[in-house]
Amino acid sequence: MPLVEIFGLGIFDSITSQRGYAVVIESFPYFLGGAGYTIALTFLSLSMGMVLGLFLGLGKLSANRILYFLSTAFIDFFRGTPLFVQIFLLYFGVLPLFYDNDPISSAIIALGLNSAAYIGEIVRAGIQAVDPGQQEAARSLGMNQRQAMTYVILPQAFKIVIPPMINEFIALLKDSSLVSAITVPELMHRGDLVFANTYQATWIFASIAVIYFVITKTISTIGDKVERRLATD
Amino acid sequence: MIKVIDLYKSFEQLHVLKGVNFQVAPREVVCVIGPSGSGKSTLLRCINKLEEANSGHIYIDGKELTNPKTDINLIRQQVGMVFQLFNLFPHKSTLENITLAPIKIKELSKASADKLALELLGKVGLTDKAHVYPNKLSGGQKQRVAIARALAMQPKVMLFDEPTSSLDPEMVGEVLAVMKDLAIEGMTMVVVTHEMGFAREVGHRVVFMDDGVIVEEGTPQEIFDNPKNPRTKAFLSKVL
């Protein structure tokens, strides 16, 4: 087969294919349902990541050596190994030891633990970015460490971490496509299934990409608004 | 009220305090002067344990601060601190800056904390700024709010760490005036300052520090008009 047919005309054919267009139109509600799964997965794992990440961030700043060590080890592992590997390790290896695990809950746990590691670093950096004079002022008034953290440091760190947190949100949403490999019926997985039946790669994956883009653009736009509203200084 | 005995403090290889002995009586206003790096700010920060002393003893109102068993938070509630860079809480309004600690620590009701805060704002002349955020205040106004915030815990002692050093010259006066009022009311104060006029006029006693030790102390007249130590003379000849 001449190369031009594979790379040149082949692409041309698939883009102009009436069949591809028809497949996408027909599958679109199915894709949107997958996008619903993608969004739900992202929200649930991000919530888990934020709660756990807050503790990891505080742990990395803790004077307690055990807490520091545990947080650092956790963050090192989940940042230092591929998310794809973590998904497989948890789904096929670790989680079956604890419960009769299904793809969706396994996906949430894998994505949640992974994002917790990144959010832990975001929280640590956010806390450290608050002027040390704030801590001194709070402590000099007689607040203990916990009160100073709760009433003075964290509210200020919160504002600082919004932009990196939006980044993490978007990254997590895109990375959630990896759990298609463990058959979670989210957007990418549904694209894959339709592709396997129709071979209309360009049309299918381009429309999947567009759906991902619309969601991430929406998140970043909302993020910008929140950031502007909270900017009091 | 404050008693410091043989205080040593070093940061790594840098010895900042080399055996400081220092006392403040109730209702006394002590001004600490001296060149940069002489250890005066470090001494002040040791007095409410923002810096941990390496050795020596510090007593506040009879309680030993340097004893690890002492509840430092309780002592700090009685020792107000005013910083060179104000350190107001930027996410809180002026009023909230003042009421935060009384509400959270002393468990004062919001209503009585607000009442107290408005009184204190009246005292520092900023009643109209109660609901403004710190970023809308001038440097002098910020420092006056910071003083009100410290007073809200009803401390027995106030520590001032170069309170006017980061202010524009035209704002120094308003802050010093508030401090002078406090002194007249009988507040016990330790003021680290470069404002020699204030030290002379308001201070009951002036302490000159250099190179980690107290070189000379006495009444403002003794220190400013008749310094005995050559280092005091050299310093004063540069700043007066």
Side-chain angles (χ1 to χ4, degrees):
Chain A
M1 189 189 292
L3 277 177
V4 68
E5 212 160 294
I6 301 170
F7 292 113
L9 285 176
I11 288 172
F12 188 71
D13 275 349
S14 75
I15 290 173
T16 55
S17 149
Q18 293 288 314
R19 168 113 177 84
Y21 177 72
V23 165
V24 164
I25 293 295
E26 191 190 329
S27 312
F28 207 69
Y30 182 62
F31 288 163
L32 288 184
Y37 271 97
T38 293
I39 292 170
L41 274 178
T42 307
F43 266 105
L44 290 170
S45 47
L46 189 74
S47 310
M48 177 177 160
M50 287 205 275
V51 173
L52 190 55
L54 175 63
F55 288 108
L56 287 169
L58 292 171
K60 277 214 89 164
L61 295 171
S62 171
N64 181 323
R65 283 171 161 259
I66 297 169
L67 286 180
Y68 174 82
F69 175 79
L70 288 177
S71 311
T72 305
F74 182 98
I75 290 172
D76 281 354
F77 174 77
F78 281 96
R79 284 205 315 176
T81 58
L83 173 57
F84 202 45
V85 175
Q86 293 161 18
I87 291 166
F88 275 51
L89 177 62
L90 285 163
Y91 178 60
F92 293 112
V94 177
L95 294 179
L97 303 176
F98 293 95
Y99 72 108
D100 184 16
N101 66 321
D102 58 298
I104 292 179
S105 69
S106 306
I108 293 168
I109 292 171
L111 293 170
L113 293 179
N114 182 270
S115 73
Y118 285 91
I119 292 173
E121 282 296 308
I122 292 173
V123 169
R124 179 196 56 76
I127 291 172
Q128 285 182 325
V130 175
D131 174 13
Q134 293 290 312
Q135 161 91 353
E136 292 188 351
R139 296 304 302 272
S140 79
L141 288 164
M143 289 188 206
N144 61 34
Q145 181 65 43
R146 192 183 50 76
Q147 289 167 325
M149 198 45 104
T150 313
Y151 304 124
V152 176
I153 309 295
L154 286 180
Q156 294 182 61
F158 178 73
K159 211 185 294 178
I160 298 171
V161 304
I162 288 174
M165 210 63 116
I166 297 295
N167 266 343
E168 175 55 24
F169 192 178
I170 288 170
L172 183 63
L173 188 121
K174 292 186 296 175
D175 287 349
S176 73
S177 59
L178 291 174
V179 302
S180 63
I182 58 169
T183 72
V184 176
E186 45 72 68
L187 183 53
M188 179 63 197
H189 187 250
R190 290 190 170 181
D192 227 359
L193 288 182
V194 174
F195 167 64
N197 284 326
T198 63
Y199 296 107
Q200 296 298 327
T202 310
W203 275 90
I204 291 169
F205 293 117
S207 43
I208 297 278
V210 167
I211 297 174
Y212 272 114
F213 179 78
V214 168
I215 305 171
T216 54
K217 187 66 190 169
T218 308
I219 297 169
S220 62
T221 307
I222 293 170
D224 286 348
K225 286 212 173 107
V226 172
E227 206 180 316
R228 239 172 288 140
R229 178 170 305 177
L230 285 173
T232 58
D233 58 355
Chain B
M1 182 61 77
I2 301 176
K3 197 174 188 181
V4 174
I5 300 169
D6 212 19
L7 188 68
Y8 283 80
K9 171 70 188 174
S10 53
F11 298 99
E12 314 276 311
Q13 298 304 314
L14 184 69
H15 300 284
V16 182
L17 299 179
K18 307 170 184 170
V20 172
N21 291 284
F22 177 69
Q23 285 199 32
V24 181
R27 304 173 77 83
E28 191 180 22
V29 177
V30 177
C31 292
V32 184
I33 61 170
S36 317
S38 59
K40 46 193 197 312
S41 281
T42 305
L43 170 64
L44 203 68
R45 292 165 60 82
C46 283
I47 294 176
N48 70 353
K49 222 177 181 180
L50 288 179
E51 304 291 351
E52 188 112 24
N54 295 111
S55 71
H57 301 276
I58 301 170
Y59 298 87
I60 309 266
D61 205 19
K63 297 190 194 70
E64 187 178 359
L65 190 77
T66 36
N67 181 342
K69 284 184 194 139
T70 308
D71 183 352
I72 180 65
N73 297 317
L74 279 178
I75 293 194
R76 283 192 180 129
Q77 291 172 31
Q78 296 165 6
V79 181
M81 176 103 177
V82 174
F83 299 88
Q84 183 178 351
L85 295 171
F86 330 124
N87 297 345
L88 290 181
F89 305 136
H91 60 301
K92 301 272 180 198
S93 71
T94 297
L95 194 79
E96 290 163 343
N97 261 276
I98 301 172
T99 57
L100 182 67
I103 290 175
K104 300 299 181 189
I105 303 173
K106 288 191 164 174
E107 296 179 355
L108 227 61
S109 73
K110 189 177 179 314
S112 43
D114 282 356
K115 189 164 161 278
L116 171 71
L118 286 170
E119 263 169 42
L120 290 168
L121 279 175
K123 195 169 181 170
V124 299
L126 289 171
T127 315
D128 55 327
K129 301 289 183 190
H131 300 288
V132 168
Y133 281 81
N135 62 332
K136 294 279 188 288
L137 299 174
S138 72
Q141 291 170 335
K142 282 182 192 170
Q143 195 61 295
R144 285 188 279 155
V145 172
I147 293 171
R149 177 178 68 177
L151 289 173
M153 289 303 286
Q154 291 164 324
K156 293 179 181 159
V157 187
M158 287 282 285
L159 308 176
F160 294 85
D161 188 6
E162 302 196 27
T164 58
S165 294
S166 58
L167 297 178
D168 291 338
E170 73 268 28
M171 293 171 183
V172 170
E174 63 191 62
V175 172
L176 293 181
V178 167
M179 291 166 61
K180 190 178 168 186
D181 288 346
L182 263 181
I184 291 168
E185 283 174 27
M187 176 62 80
T188 310
M189 294 165 61
V190 182
V191 185
V192 169
T193 187
H194 293 291
E195 293 293 326
M196 298 305 152
F198 178 85
R200 179 192 281 270
E201 189 194 346
V202 181
H204 301 143
R205 189 153 51 94
V206 174
V207 171
F208 173 69
M209 281 186 77
D210 192 14
D211 199 25
V213 292
I214 291 177
V215 175
E216 189 170 354
E217 56 184 309
T219 64
Q221 288 69 29
E222 287 168 350
I223 298 292
F224 290 115
D225 299 337
N226 192 17
K228 296 192 176 57
N229 191 293
R231 281 198 280 177
T232 319
K233 285 179 191 165
F235 174 73
L236 289 174
S237 72
K238 276 182 230 152
V239 297
L240 286 180

